[in-house]
Amino acid sequence: MVALENLSKTFNSKTSVVEAVKNVSLRVEQGEIHGIIGLSGAGKSTLVRCINLLERPTSGKVFLDGEEITAMSNRELRLTRRKIGMIFQQFNLFASRAVWRNIAYPLWRGGLTKKQMADRARELLALVDLSDKENVYPSQLSGGQKQRVAIARALANNPRLLLCDEATSALDPQTTSSILELLKKLNKRLGLTTIVITHEMHVVKEICDRASVMENGEIVESGEVFSLFANPQRRVTQDFIETASNFSKINSMIDENHVITRLRPGERILKFRYMEKSEAEALVSAVSRRFNIDVNVIFANLEWVGDAPLGGIISVVSGDSRNIDEALLYLRDKHVGVEVILDNTRVSETNYA
Amino acid sequence: MPNVMSKPDILWRSMTDTLAMLGWSGSLSFLIGLILGVALIVTKKGGVMENGVLYQTLDKVINFFRSIPFIILLAGLIPLTRIMMGTAIGVRGAVVPLVFGATPFFARQIESALSELDGGVIEAAQSMGSSPLEIILRVYLKECIASIARATSIMTVTLIELTAMAGAVGAGGLGDFAIRYGHQRNQIDVTYVTVIILTLLVSVIQMTGTVIARKNTH
């Protein structure tokens, strides 16, 4: 569907040369929601602008359905852009046009009468659940409503591809969820291939099928969302996962000698993580029953990616030392990663993961 | 108001002259200034029709004309005015220097009015496949009607000032009327009446601009 080949974008200014995107190759399949996650300045916005050539790449090629966009004339490019919808962090609606006229903007010169354009706008407003706002001006809308109008406008010409540049970053968490839900619905209902740029981990978790992690202009890791987040290979990916969980708190609790981290002899603090897609089993009660140990949960962070649980728990485990060791072997067979955070049974720390 | 009452025909003539000068030079300055202002915005670095050479040229030419005092422009343009209009005096003779005086100023005003538009909106239009011309007509000019209206009323009021000055070199109009009778012949009521008429004129222009701007702000 979308293929980027060795894409680079360099910005030259008098004082410096910035390589915003470095030799990126990426394929996004038809009907996929692909997330591109990275810290600000990682080059993700530049990368997405290279797809519809709002930024012309310094080198490399962009293909949409086999057609090379980077080789098109200006006129062909403009026609192709009508088939690529784009939404933005700041919505970018036309303030002087009522909602329906915003949506009708890209329909101009499409051979429709004014009435047909109004009808199409109404149809799109219904699709984004904003039917009562057609004659309102953007300034009277909330952020979430503005983004819905922007989505409707981006869909006016039945695009094959939707580019979302930090589309939820200016919205509160609740509105973010509703916009993400809408994007997912559109993806399902229209088969709309979607590329989502974000710096928020939960956006990727919530709607993406596959994701790429960007750092310093490069895609450092890419893959199916579950495996990407279950087994992050790169530091930056791990950091993103940390931001979405409360696990890092355990370290400061140990430093502060929090009451729960003052272990009695034989106790350990362990972190369990799902490493592979698995059926959700009652693992905690299973190991405590089978091996006669106590599992006291301190932190739990479980998310559902598709139908598989992602995340894990941190808990204080106590009981007979040999029983605990056996329990850990049992969990490893179930593809649960175990990491020892604090151990009051032996001198050296062991990593079972 | 004995002095004013004794020459209603001259007063009337002065008013129509002022309005004629204002109408002609105002429309021409509006049109040319708008084109130049848009040209400045779109040829600027990062503009939708980026063109460094054209931008630099326009920029320098506009600065040049803006830096010439109007009274010197009036005299300096006499030969050109003769060629274009066939005369250098009267309303016809005044239009050329007035346009030269007001247009560069208005072009800058338009440039600053259009630069208020958020770049993201332009980007959105580009992402929807709009051509540069379409962006000028359907985005810049449409989105900036309010600030263009405000700039236009400022430009028109400035033109009234300039017509008074042009009056001094034989263009006629209210400014000339006030100087000739009110000032030089010390007919103080003529000055007062002229000032009142000009105040009304300025108010009407300012109000029109404000109303248009308000109607186009949502």
Side-chain angles (χ1 to χ4, degrees):
Chain A
M1 170 82 205
V2 183
L4 310 181
E5 278 180 14
N6 306 103
L7 210 67
S8 293
K9 174 73 187 180
T10 310
F11 292 104
N12 291 304
S13 75
K14 275 176 195 149
T15 49
S16 64
V17 175
V18 180
E19 286 182 89
V21 174
K22 290 181 219 161
N23 199 30
V24 166
S25 295
L26 179 70
R27 292 188 71 85
V28 177
E29 300 303 331
Q30 175 68 47
E32 176 182 329
I33 302 187
H34 193 101
I36 296 176
I37 186 168
L39 298 170
S40 46
K44 30 190 215 313
S45 280
T46 308
L47 180 67
V48 78
R49 277 170 176 68
C50 283
I51 297 175
N52 60 1
L53 297 203
L54 284 179
E55 293 285 0
R56 212 163 249 286
T58 315
S59 64
K61 293 174 179 174
V62 179
F63 294 91
L64 178 69
D65 286 332
E67 290 173 271
E68 191 190 336
I69 300 181
T70 30
M72 287 178 178
S73 69
N74 284 338
R75 209 189 122 68
E76 287 173 311
L77 173 62
R78 287 200 289 271
L79 290 173
T80 304
R81 278 180 178 163
R82 294 185 193 180
K83 293 292 168 194
I84 306 176
M86 188 168 186
I87 56 173
F88 305 84
Q89 180 173 2
Q90 295 304 330
F91 323 121
N92 295 344
L93 297 178
F94 301 115
S96 71
R97 291 170 192 262
V99 162
W100 85 265
R101 284 184 185 276
N102 261 282
I103 299 171
Y105 177 93
L107 297 172
W108 198 64
R109 275 208 287 199
L112 299 180
T113 63
K114 192 177 166 187
K115 175 158 187 322
Q116 285 169 317
M117 287 199 263
D119 287 346
R120 175 77 180 132
R122 226 166 277 139
E123 199 180 303
L124 288 158
L125 276 172
L127 187 65
V128 299
D129 300 320
L130 217 58
S131 291
D132 53 333
K133 301 286 184 197
E134 64 178 277
N135 290 314
V136 164
Y137 283 88
S139 60
Q140 292 157 269
L141 298 176
S142 70
Q145 291 171 329
K146 283 181 192 165
Q147 198 59 291
R148 281 169 192 271
V149 175
I151 291 170
R153 185 177 68 173
L155 296 179
N157 280 316
N158 297 310
R160 291 178 278 182
L161 173 66
L162 180 66
L163 306 175
C164 309
D165 183 21
E166 297 277 13
T168 57
S169 300
L171 304 174
D172 61 66
Q174 244 172 344
T175 317
T176 295
S177 300
S178 79
I179 293 293
L180 292 179
E181 247 165 64
L182 174 63
L183 289 175
K184 193 148 197 171
K185 178 180 102 177
L186 296 170
N187 166 262
K188 288 255 153 50
R189 192 184 292 184
L190 311 172
L192 185 65
T193 311
T194 308
I195 295 181
V196 177
I197 299 293
T198 185
H199 64 271
E200 292 167 310
M201 176 71 189
H202 73 97
V203 170
V204 173
K205 264 191 197 164
E206 232 158 276
I207 63 167
C208 295
D209 303 309
R210 295 168 60 80
S212 300
V213 182
M214 260 192 114
E215 190 182 23
N216 297 328
E218 290 173 293
I219 289 188
V220 293
E221 209 168 335
S222 200
E224 198 210 342
V225 169
F226 185 89
S227 53
L228 193 63
F229 293 136
N231 300 302
Q233 302 300 312
R234 302 293 289 256
R235 180 75 221 183
V236 58
T237 316
Q238 288 161 2
D239 287 346
F240 271 116
I241 294 163
E242 292 269 294
T243 62
S245 78
N246 45 15
F247 285 174
S248 52
K249 266 192 213 151
I250 188 70
N251 295 322
S252 51
M253 285 171 75
I254 291 170
D255 290 343
E256 289 160 15
N257 198 21
H258 190 278
V259 62
I260 197 118
T261 65
R262 288 179 211 149
L263 298 183
R264 283 190 295 271
E267 288 185 334
R268 314 175 197 183
I269 296 179
L270 300 173
K271 187 203 263 182
F272 303 102
R273 275 190 311 132
Y274 287 102
M275 303 298 286
E276 275 175 33
K277 278 191 176 178
S278 57
E279 298 284 316
E281 286 180 61
L283 288 173
V284 171
S285 49
V287 290
S288 43
R289 220 178 309 122
R290 284 176 76 142
F291 302 99
N292 194 28
I293 57 176
D294 287 320
V295 181
N296 179 16
V297 175
I298 309 176
F299 289 112
N301 181 57
L302 280 179
E303 300 252 6
W304 290 86
V305 176
D307 49 10
L310 174 66
I313 59 175
I314 291 179
S315 52
V316 178
V317 179
S318 52
D320 182 71
S321 178
R322 236 185 357 217
N323 287 352
I324 295 179
D325 286 340
E326 270 173 48
L328 299 187
L329 287 175
Y330 170 82
L331 286 171
R332 198 175 56 184
D333 281 349
K334 296 281 182 188
H335 303 295
V336 172
V338 181
E339 192 186 319
V340 179
I341 292 174
L342 203 64
D343 191 337
N344 206 9
T345 53
R346 50 193 104 177
V347 184
S348 66
E349 292 189 350
T350 320
N351 196 338
Y352 292 86
Chain B
M1 297 191 288
N3 301 311
V4 179
M5 296 315 255
S6 66
K7 39 190 164 297
D9 50 329
I10 302 179
L11 174 64
W12 179 249
R13 180 68 205 273
S14 303
M15 276 169 65
T16 52
D17 278 358
T18 290
L19 288 176
M21 281 190 279
L22 208 57
W24 280 109
S25 57
S27 333
L28 285 169
S29 305
F30 177 80
L31 215 67
I32 304 169
L34 192 66
I35 292 170
L36 292 178
V38 168
L40 280 171
I41 276 286
V42 297
T43 57
K44 215 178 226 165
K45 198 166 162 47
V48 291
M49 296 169 87
E50 189 176 329
N51 184 328
V53 178
L54 188 56
Y55 177 79
Q56 289 300 332
T57 315
L58 279 176
D59 186 61
K60 299 294 173 296
V61 170
I62 286 172
N63 281 349
F64 174 72
F65 277 101
R66 280 198 73 188
S67 55
I68 302 174
F70 185 65
I71 201 79
I72 297 173
L73 202 62
L74 268 176
L77 285 174
I78 287 174
L80 181 70
T81 310
R82 283 226 176 87
I83 295 168
M84 288 175 72
M85 309 298 283
T87 174
I89 55 164
V91 171
R92 284 163 65 87
V95 168
V96 174
L98 284 173
V99 169
F100 270 87
T103 301
F105 170 67
F106 188 55
R108 285 293 183 210
Q109 293 247 302
I110 290 296
E111 184 192 13
S112 90
L114 300 189
S115 66
E116 279 167 29
L117 187 62
D118 177 21
V121 176
I122 306 293
E123 202 176 37
Q126 282 177 311
S127 80
M128 289 185 273
S130 292
S131 65
L133 187 65
E134 205 184 323
I135 289 176
I136 290 171
L137 297 174
R138 298 184 67 211
V139 183
Y140 273 122
L141 296 184
K142 165 84 180 144
E143 290 300 306
C144 298
I145 291 177
S147 26
I148 292 173
R150 277 189 286 266
T152 307
S153 52
I154 293 174
M155 186 264 289
T156 315
V157 170
T158 308
L159 262 178
I160 294 177
E161 270 171 52
L162 299 186
T163 56
M165 237 190 282
V169 293
L174 286 169
D176 176 46
F177 180 65
I179 288 170
R180 261 195 296 157
Y181 297 96
H183 179 66
Q184 289 164 355
R185 297 181 201 174
N186 204 20
Q187 298 175 354
I188 202 77
D189 60 322
V190 170
T191 310
Y192 285 146
V193 167
T194 313
V195 168
I196 289 167
I197 294 172
L198 287 174
T199 308
L200 286 175
L201 192 57
V202 168
S203 307
V204 167
I205 291 165
Q206 195 61 53
M207 231 157 60
T208 313
T210 309
V211 167
I212 294 175
R214 198 188 309 136
K215 286 225 158 125
N216 284 282
T217 307
H218 300 286

